[in-house]
Amino acid sequence: LSAEQTAALARGERTVQLLASKDGRVTAAFGMVAIKGTRKAFIARLTSFAPSARSPELRSFGVFKTPATPVSVGTFTVSANDVSSLRKCRTGKCEFKLPAAEIARAKAILESGAAGPATLAGYAQRRAVAYVNAYRERGNAAMVVYDDYGKGGVRASDAFAALLAASSYLAQNAPTLRQYLQQYPRNRPAGASDIIYWSVEAMKGLHPTVTINQLVVFSPPNRPHMTVAVTKQLFADHYFEGMLDERIAVDRADAPTGGGFYLMVLRQYRFDNLPGGILDIRGRARSALHDRVDAELRRMQKQ
């Protein structure tokens, strides 16, 4: 941070900036703000999915129980636009990020008759439940392979590993948490808590996207004034091969005791084959990411 940014933070202002990446598919942003409140209250709000803590882009969500059951995804539906897009899908060329077997299965269900869309919604709910339970048992080995573009597919676990490798903060300040994210469900740090949830979100200028994510919250024993909340994307049906979101809450040393904390957000998205040119989806995504991090910090500070 520059001296001007540091002074602005002390006055309660936000700072947000897009970050350069060696991987052209990756868009990253960093944001920071001072918050008048306690880390404990912030984490409680973050993990409870309280209505007031949700972003306007979050259209619906649900938390998976242990083990996951269909009740967790009972509100999931397939829109008419989704049905139209899925009918056109084939392996290597599909608007939806799915494995080849799931692309074929979805098309077969839709071609089965008028009840196809409702049947597909039920099938998607069951597959989401099975996917979460498999991930909880086998970790990264159970993560999806996307066959929507080109040949050979993209492993979601590889995309996440690349994002994690590009972020040095966890390695330096919470190495046991970083190891847990790599080796889940093994080597869980003492005191860490995690939630797996699904959501439907709409970033400005992009198609609504269904994601499944794992949120892990951890306060390193050797960093008593810091809490780290990391969100790891397990699945996305549009755009994102991987996502890593780090929210770091650190008690303020430049304020009286109980005077609040600094909240830092480091968010990385690895996109798939997004077009540029007239459509410029990648450019819109970068702009949307900057605005979203800024709005998120503003909302958290206000609350």
Side-chain angles (χ1 to χ4, degrees):
L1 299 176
S2 66
E4 290 79 7
Q5 288 173 315
T6 301
L9 285 170
R11 295 192 300 267
E13 300 172 14
R14 304 176 303 280
T15 180
V16 179
Q17 58 195 56
L18 292 173
L19 305 178
S21 172
K22 295 180 181 179
D23 187 338
R25 295 168 296 178
V26 174
T27 294
F30 171 82
M32 186 174 177
V33 71
I35 294 182
K36 295 180 180 179
T38 65
R39 282 186 297 128
K40 183 177 180 180
F42 164 71
I43 295 303
R45 179 179 292 272
L46 181 68
T47 56
S48 68
F49 292 92
S52 61
R54 300 174 200 165
S55 68
E57 297 88 356
L58 185 61
R59 296 188 175 183
S60 56
F61 79 99
V63 176
F64 289 97
K65 297 181 179 180
T66 306
T69 66
V71 174
S72 303
V73 285
T75 60
F76 177 74
T77 60
V78 179
S79 70
N81 287 338
D82 290 343
V83 169
S84 177
S85 297
L86 283 166
R87 290 187 189 276
K88 302 173 185 176
C89 277
R90 66 176 186 268
T91 301
K93 190 175 182 180
C94 183
E95 290 185 11
F96 280 81
K97 305 191 68 57
L98 294 168
E102 298 299 346
I103 292 174
R105 179 62 175 162
K107 294 185 68 173
I109 291 174
L110 291 175
E111 293 169 1
S112 65
T119 302
L120 180 60
Y123 176 74
Q125 292 171 6
R126 295 191 297 274
R127 288 296 298 126
V129 167
Y131 182 60
V132 169
N133 285 332
Y135 175 74
R136 282 175 168 159
E137 180 180 349
R138 299 188 290 117
N140 289 352
M143 289 178 68
V144 67
V145 177
Y146 298 118
D147 290 310
D148 58 301
Y149 178 78
K151 296 181 179 180
V154 174
R155 294 184 177 276
S157 58
D158 291 344
F160 176 77
L163 294 177
L164 191 62
S167 176
S168 61
Y169 189 90
L170 291 179
Q172 296 170 354
N173 295 278
T176 57
L177 175 57
R178 185 177 189 273
Q179 182 183 48
Y180 180 55
L181 292 167
Q182 291 174 314
Q183 301 178 358
Y184 177 89
R186 296 179 289 115
N187 298 318
R188 179 175 179 172
S193 62
D194 59 282
I195 298 169
I196 297 180
Y197 66 96
W198 68 272
S199 68
V200 180
E201 297 187 68
M203 291 177 68
K204 184 179 179 181
L206 302 181
H207 192 286
T209 301
V210 177
T211 64
I212 299 176
N213 304 293
Q214 179 184 18
L215 170 65
V216 184
V217 179
F218 179 58
S219 298
N222 62 331
R223 304 273 195 228
H225 304 298
M226 180 179 78
T227 300
V228 182
V230 178
T231 302
K232 172 184 180 179
Q233 178 185 288
L234 308 181
F235 168 78
D237 72 343
H238 284 88
Y239 305 124
F240 310 123
E241 293 176 351
M243 186 276 286
L244 172 63
D245 178 85
E246 302 170 43
R247 305 183 202 191
I248 305 102
V250 182
D251 292 337
R252 292 184 62 178
D254 58 347
T257 302
F261 61 95
Y262 284 116
L263 176 63
M264 295 175 283
V265 174
L266 176 60
R267 185 166 300 162
Q268 301 179 75
Y269 289 103
R270 191 173 105 171
F271 289 90
D272 56 13
N273 185 55
L274 291 180
I278 296 175
L279 293 178
D280 193 23
I281 294 179
R282 191 182 303 277
R284 279 187 279 162
R286 285 177 58 83
S287 176
L289 176 58
H290 179 282
D291 293 346
R292 185 172 183 177
V293 170
D294 184 62
E296 189 173 308
L297 292 174
R298 182 173 63 251
R299 186 177 66 255
M300 292 178 180
Q301 187 180 41
K302 182 178 180 180
Q303 292 168 357

